[in-house]
Amino acid sequence: MYLNPHHRPLQNILWRDNPKLPTQCLQMQTGTYDLKSSSFLATRCLVELAHNEEHNYPLAARALLNNTYVDDILLGSDTLRKLFS
């Protein structure tokens, strides 16, 4: 399903392969939502990100792996100490 050209500027992804490289703005040409596989793909991307960056961001990886429903991260705490323990 191709997006209406008028709506394409609203569908952008910021991307870079390496933190030392400049950020690229990629404009979506097709719709990726409302597909039967959308929830799986969203979850799978977050799991892959958590595993790939676990050594750099252990707390974020734990949140992604244990506190995520589809693409929503549900996490909270009464104190910062409890949150980061």
Side-chain angles (χ1 to χ4, degrees):
M1 165 184 80
Y2 283 97
L3 295 173
N4 179 320
H6 180 73
H7 296 149
R8 289 179 186 170
L10 303 172
Q11 301 289 323
N12 296 305
I13 296 174
L14 298 179
W15 181 265
R16 65 180 173 183
D17 291 324
N18 180 318
K20 296 177 183 175
L21 296 175
T23 303
Q24 296 176 299
C25 183
L26 306 174
Q27 190 176 89
M28 303 289 288
Q29 304 293 310
T30 61
T32 58
Y33 307 103
D34 297 327
L35 301 174
K36 289 181 182 180
S37 61
S38 292
S39 63
F40 167 77
L41 293 172
T43 302
R44 183 64 184 94
C45 286
L46 292 176
V47 168
E48 184 74 14
L49 178 65
H51 288 301
N52 287 349
E53 294 298 327
E54 192 170 21
H55 61 284
N56 291 322
Y57 305 100
L59 297 175
R62 191 167 67 204
L64 289 176
L65 294 171
N66 300 315
N67 300 89
T68 302
Y69 176 75
V70 184
D71 60 353
D72 296 318
I73 300 165
L74 309 169
L75 185 66
S77 179
D78 294 333
T79 67
L80 288 176
R81 172 176 246 162
K82 286 182 188 177
L83 182 65
F84 293 112
S85 62

